Amino acid sequence: MMRGQRTIRTSEQIAVTVNDCAFLRAIIQGVGLLDAGKRYLAEQVDQRELKSHLKALLARYEVHIASTLHKDELTAMQVALTALQNRLARKRPKAAAKLAAPQPTITLPTIPITFDDFNARENPGGGFFRESEIQALYESDVLAPWRAECDKVRANLSARAVERVPAPGDQDYVSATQLDLLLHGVRGFELTEAVEPNLADPLAMWVRNDALLRRLARARLQTVAHLYDRINTRGYNWHDGIAGVGQRKAQQLVSWLTRAAPTLNITVSAAALVPIGKARSNGLIPQRNRIFGVVPFEYMLIPYELAGQNGKLRGNDACAIDVDDDYSAITAFLSTHKAVTERAYRIEAERFLLWCHHQRGIALSSVMVDDCNAYREFLLDPQPRAQWVNPKRCRRDNEAWRPFMKALDPLAAQHSLTILSVLFGWLRDVGYLQINPFAAIKKAVRADSRTDKQALKEALARKARDKRVMQLDVWALVDGYLRTLDTSDAANARKVAVMRLLQGCGLRREEAVLAQASDLTLKTDSQSKTTYYELTVRGKGDKTRAVVVPFDVIDAIEKHFAHRGIGSLEHCIHTDGHRSAYIIGKVSIPKRGAVEQAREGVSDQSLYRDVIAVFQATLASVNDSPTLTADARRKLAQASPHWLRHCFASLAINNDVPAESVQKMLGHGSINTTMIYATKEQAALDREQLRLHRKLRDRLNSGVTLPIG
């Protein structure tokens, strides 16, 4: 299916199941639409979807009876079916008839007081009223109002009964004979049309929501097998990255697949039913044993001969870390970094450790320069692919997990080698190893013989810039989508705050996660007398820098704070109890007024999911636009949170902000890193050079001597 192509299906292309027939039978018998849907179609409880599904079922049912019944039977069936469709099409579905149901039971109001109690209250001792007088008084004061109230109840119920139960002769009246005829037809419909799902079936047979079907198709999920494979490999959040598919729709599909599992002869993973953390704590996912194989770092079982106790590069006895093997040394190294950095470093250390054991048969602390060069070539083409590469994203506890999803390009391979050089340098510095073998290999990766090192470096920089920089026109699409979000919804308000903060201030993901209200300061410019907020950012290496927070970012943060119930931003800054509140926090507070929970922050993974969801939703909202270029579509499909930082840098550099200033705003250690984002068009650079040459020529023609040096 092409991107943006609309899914068009006929009723014959939609599969009919036993549950569908039960649903149709309940509708014919007068069960309400939502009640029947909840009972027989648990994954389809939305009223609009149920109406659409019922319409398709009736169309299939009509085709079935037209092809199976004789002329006389067909005429009677069509009359009954027309009456049923007229009943279902009534403008007041809540008042539709419940066929074969008895008349409503009339519950009359009770008499407020008995005659004896009334007589004792109004005629104590019996000496004031005669018996006839007290009876007349009881009739007028008690019985007459009670009878009037009973008449109102009877009249009301009679009117409702007349309104709810069609009379014979009405176009939506279904007689008992017609009801039996329709139900008999459903039995034949079920025997001839009902089918069971198969893994090879296209999802179009089973997913009735056309919009959902298109979104699944864009993610290359076109058969039941594709859906099952993705759900079982990715678990509860299998829908992450599929624009327009939220948690509710995702779990509806999982519920359907779980019910169909016995027929399909499959087993749906327990991790797909509940979040991974709950599944582990409840014992649904057994603890995986450590093994010697190509497995994640936390599941490695390393034999003694590969553990590194006798590694060739092991240092002397003066070691600053109390470890005796390579695995523990790597763990000590990873523990010195923050979560996001630790994850990136763990991936590279994990890959290299696995390669050392299973490809070279050596311990990590026995690696030589030749091994480092061989690993560089391995990164560009991991072989055998079945052992090292799985193009599908899997959870780390899944047996299908592999260290690579594809071979690395030269830029990614160089980055991997740089991280390993940092690892080995640290192990050398703490005395675990004597030398760092990665320091001896060339930094350039596969440089062509005609290309010098500087040219390659510039080519890699251009690739990084072109690949991960979001131009202004693409950001304009994202900005336009953010403006359409309803920020009265807490989740939307947080997404807007996250996107504005990352792009407006050029923050790294971990910097945004760690930012607190106490890091904000309200300042006033002495010249323009303008007030503004300044954010103190804690960056890499615990270095701090100050960035100005734009007003649209402040507005987004204010709305996010309002949903968390911790007051305005200014209130938080000046209130000791709220100064510790994280700028980006949880949107679902367990208990209203629970200030402690309201001040809590979020994980970098939660922030990552918010950003990806916005990018995917933006792409879905503009995907059918004829003005959307292929480059813009590719950018939105590949974008990540760090692209927003690149966007900030590129816009600043190309709007004449001095590179030194941008370097300080971003917290770059080198200005060369900042200059990667200088992406002025070549035509603009040519115009600047022509202007320079023209100015020099005019000065020479005027006889002005130019300074030399």
Side-chain angles (χ1 to χ4, degrees), residues 562-625:
H563 285 290
R564 295 162 63 188
I566 54 177
S568 67
L569 187 58
E570 186 174 357
H571 172 73
C572 290
I573 292 175
H574 294 97
T575 304
D576 292 339
H578 290 333
R579 285 176 58 79
S580 61
Y582 285 91
I583 291 179
I584 304 299
K586 296 180 179 179
V587 295
S588 56
I589 307 303
K591 183 178 179 181
R592 187 171 294 278
V595 179
E596 294 298 327
Q597 289 91 345
R599 291 199 295 255
E600 288 182 6
V602 298
S603 67
D604 64 293
Q605 286 299 304
S606 294
L607 187 141
Y608 177 86
R609 285 193 289 268
D610 278 349
V611 175
I612 295 301
V614 171
F615 282 137
Q616 295 292 335
T618 302
L619 179 60
S621 66
V622 300
N623 200 37
D624 296 330
S625 173

Side-chain angles (χ1 to χ4, degrees), residues 130-190:
R130 292 193 297 271
E131 185 176 351
S132 59
E133 292 176 334
I134 196 65
Q135 287 180 346
L137 188 62
Y138 181 69
E139 178 74 24
S140 62
D141 289 359
V142 177
L143 295 182
W146 173 72
R147 290 193 185 101
E149 189 67 25
C150 289
D151 290 341
K152 288 181 181 179
V153 172
R154 290 191 186 94
N156 184 34
L157 289 176
S158 298
R160 288 172 57 194
V162 169
E163 179 185 18
R164 293 176 60 192
V165 182
D170 292 345
Q171 63 175 358
D172 57 350
Y173 175 75
V174 182
S175 66
T177 303
Q178 290 174 327
L179 181 64
D180 289 340
L181 193 61
L182 288 170
L183 292 176
H184 178 74
V186 172
R187 285 192 288 273
F189 182 53
E190 181 177 344

Side-chain angles (χ1 to χ4, degrees), residues 457-705:
K457 184 177 181 180
E458 293 175 357
L460 292 177
R462 282 196 302 273
K463 183 174 182 180
R465 178 195 69 202
D466 296 338
K467 183 179 179 182
R468 298 187 295 171
V469 171
M470 183 180 296
Q471 282 79 14
L472 182 60
D473 57 340
V474 181
W475 169 247
L477 297 175
V478 180
D479 181 73
Y481 172 76
L482 291 175
R483 294 177 188 277
T484 65
L485 287 180
D486 180 14
T487 52
S488 62
D489 177 75
N492 286 343
R494 188 177 81 176
K495 288 177 183 177
V496 174
V498 167
M499 297 295 290
R500 298 289 184 203
L501 183 64
L502 292 177
Q503 194 280 331
C505 299
L507 302 187
R508 299 180 179 93
R509 196 197 329 174
E510 60 271 25
E511 292 171 349
V513 167
L514 295 174
Q516 295 177 298
S518 58
D519 298 324
L520 283 165
T521 307
L522 188 60
K523 291 193 169 185
T524 303
D525 182 55
S526 58
Q527 294 183 358
S528 62
K529 305 301 181 184
T530 303
T531 59
Y532 61 94
Y533 281 95
E534 186 179 79
L535 177 66
T536 301
V537 181
R538 298 184 295 276
K540 284 186 176 180
D542 288 330
K543 296 178 182 178
T544 60
R545 67 183 189 276
V547 296
V548 174
V549 186
F551 290 109
D552 60 336
V553 179
I554 294 297
D555 182 59
I557 294 173
E558 289 273 10
K559 291 178 180 177
H560 177 46
F561 271 40
H563 285 290
R564 295 162 63 188
I566 54 177
S568 67
L569 187 58
E570 186 174 357
H571 172 73
C572 290
I573 292 175
H574 294 97
T575 304
D576 292 339
H578 290 333
R579 285 176 58 79
S580 61
Y582 285 91
I583 291 179
I584 304 299
K586 296 180 179 179
V587 295
S588 56
I589 307 303
K591 183 178 179 181
R592 187 171 294 278
V595 179
E596 294 298 327
Q597 289 91 345
R599 291 199 295 255
E600 288 182 6
V602 298
S603 67
D604 64 293
Q605 286 299 304
S606 294
L607 187 141
Y608 177 86
R609 285 193 289 268
D610 278 349
V611 175
I612 295 301
V614 171
F615 282 137
Q616 295 292 335
T618 302
L619 179 60
S621 66
V622 300
N623 200 37
D624 296 330
S625 173
T627 60
L628 184 66
T629 64
D631 181 65
R633 183 180 287 109
R634 178 178 59 82
K635 293 281 188 185
L636 286 171
Q638 297 178 350
S640 68
H642 209 66
W643 286 41
L644 297 172
R645 175 174 163 85
H646 296 166
C647 179
F648 171 86
S650 180
L651 293 176
I653 286 288
N654 294 292
N655 281 277
D656 300 322
V657 178
E660 293 80 2
S661 300
V662 179
Q663 178 191 0
K664 294 178 181 178
M665 295 175 191
L666 296 173
H668 283 154
S670 170
I671 197 169
N672 293 330
T673 307
T674 307
M675 290 307 296
I676 290 176
Y677 306 107
T679 58
K680 285 189 176 181
E681 296 180 357
Q682 187 61 45
L685 295 175
D686 291 345
R687 285 193 295 271
E688 290 181 3
Q689 292 186 56
L690 288 172
R691 190 159 49 246
L692 173 62
H693 294 321
R694 192 180 303 113
K695 185 176 181 180
L696 293 176
R697 184 194 60 199
D698 293 342
R699 295 192 68 183
L700 287 171
N701 291 339
S702 65
V704 176
T705 302

Side-chain angles (χ1 to χ4, degrees), residues 69-336:
L69 298 182
H70 297 295
K71 183 176 180 180
D72 294 340
E73 294 175 327
L74 179 60
T75 302
M77 179 67 83
Q78 286 177 335
V79 171
L81 188 60
T82 300
L84 173 66
Q85 290 172 332
N86 288 335
R87 191 197 78 191
L88 296 175
R90 292 186 66 175
K91 292 184 179 180
R92 298 182 64 186
K94 290 183 180 179
K98 290 197 173 183
L99 303 179
Q103 289 288 337
T105 303
I106 299 177
T107 303
L108 297 177
T110 59
I111 299 177
I113 188 171
T114 64
F115 175 77
D116 292 337
D117 292 340
F118 182 81
N119 186 29
R121 187 187 71 186
E122 300 294 336
N123 192 25
F128 188 76
F129 291 108
R130 292 193 297 271
E131 185 176 351
S132 59
E133 292 176 334
I134 196 65
Q135 287 180 346
L137 188 62
Y138 181 69
E139 178 74 24
S140 62
D141 289 359
V142 177
L143 295 182
W146 173 72
R147 290 193 185 101
E149 189 67 25
C150 289
D151 290 341
K152 288 181 181 179
V153 172
R154 290 191 186 94
N156 184 34
L157 289 176
S158 298
R160 288 172 57 194
V162 169
E163 179 185 18
R164 293 176 60 192
V165 182
D170 292 345
Q171 63 175 358
D172 57 350
Y173 175 75
V174 182
S175 66
T177 303
Q178 290 174 327
L179 181 64
D180 289 340
L181 193 61
L182 288 170
L183 292 176
H184 178 74
V186 172
R187 285 192 288 273
F189 182 53
E190 181 177 344
L191 289 173
T192 58
E193 299 288 339
V195 295
E196 299 291 349
N198 187 285
L199 285 174
D201 289 343
L203 284 176
M205 288 179 60
W206 304 99
V207 178
R208 275 78 185 211
N209 186 324
D210 284 349
L212 176 60
L213 185 63
R214 290 196 300 273
R215 290 161 185 162
L216 294 174
R218 291 191 190 112
R220 300 182 181 178
L221 303 178
Q222 299 190 356
T223 67
V224 177
H226 293 159
L227 180 66
Y228 166 67
D229 190 43
R230 178 160 180 139
I231 289 174
N232 250 29
T233 54
R234 298 203 184 185
Y236 188 75
N237 292 320
W238 65 269
H239 59 289
D240 281 356
I242 305 179
V245 180
Q247 194 69 56
R248 185 176 69 88
K249 291 290 184 191
Q251 287 309 302
Q252 286 175 358
L253 289 171
V254 172
S255 299
W256 170 78
L257 195 64
T258 303
R259 289 199 306 276
T263 303
L264 296 171
N265 196 24
I266 60 174
T267 302
V268 179
S269 168
L273 305 177
V274 293
I276 188 72
K278 291 183 178 179
R280 282 178 178 152
S281 62
N282 295 337
L284 298 177
I285 300 179
Q287 184 64 37
R288 184 175 174 182
N289 295 327
R290 290 176 177 265
I291 62 170
F292 179 66
V294 181
V295 294
F297 188 74
E298 58 270 26
Y299 300 126
M300 290 182 187
L301 179 65
I302 304 173
Y304 177 81
E305 59 272 16
L306 298 178
Q309 284 90 340
N310 302 312
K312 297 178 181 179
L313 303 182
R314 286 298 299 270
N316 50 36
D317 294 336
C319 182
I321 53 176
D322 186 18
V323 299
D324 194 39
D325 59 86
D326 298 340
Y327 187 93
S328 301
I330 293 174
T331 303
F333 167 74
L334 296 176
S335 66
T336 63

Side-chain angles (χ1 to χ4, degrees), residues 289-415:
N289 295 327
R290 290 176 177 265
I291 62 170
F292 179 66
V294 181
V295 294
F297 188 74
E298 58 270 26
Y299 300 126
M300 290 182 187
L301 179 65
I302 304 173
Y304 177 81
E305 59 272 16
L306 298 178
Q309 284 90 340
N310 302 312
K312 297 178 181 179
L313 303 182
R314 286 298 299 270
N316 50 36
D317 294 336
C319 182
I321 53 176
D322 186 18
V323 299
D324 194 39
D325 59 86
D326 298 340
Y327 187 93
S328 301
I330 293 174
T331 303
F333 167 74
L334 296 176
S335 66
T336 63
H337 296 86
K338 296 178 181 177
V340 176
T341 308
E342 183 271 336
R343 189 180 301 114
Y345 283 15
R346 183 199 63 210
I347 290 172
E348 301 304 336
E350 176 181 74
R351 289 173 174 174
F352 186 64
L353 187 61
L354 288 170
W355 179 83
C356 289
H357 294 168
H358 300 280
Q359 205 80 355
R360 304 291 277 191
I362 59 175
L364 180 135
S365 54
S366 297
V367 168
M368 297 298 179
V369 174
D370 290 343
D371 299 313
C372 297
N373 284 321
Y375 183 66
R376 180 178 60 188
E377 298 301 318
F378 172 79
L379 290 174
L380 300 170
D381 185 21
Q383 293 293 341
R385 292 186 67 85
Q387 183 180 12
W388 295 99
V389 180
N390 184 358
K392 300 173 184 176
R393 184 180 300 168
C394 298
R395 296 190 320 276
R396 293 176 65 81
D397 63 340
N398 192 298
E399 293 182 357
W401 177 91
R402 294 293 181 270
F404 297 89
M405 293 182 66
K406 62 179 180 179
L408 303 189
D409 60 28
L411 180 65
Q414 182 63 62
H415 181 68

Side-chain angles (χ1 to χ4, degrees), residues 447-457:
D448 189 89
S449 58
R450 296 169 297 174
T451 307
D452 61 10
K453 184 176 179 180
Q454 184 60 31
L456 178 63
K457 184 177 181 180

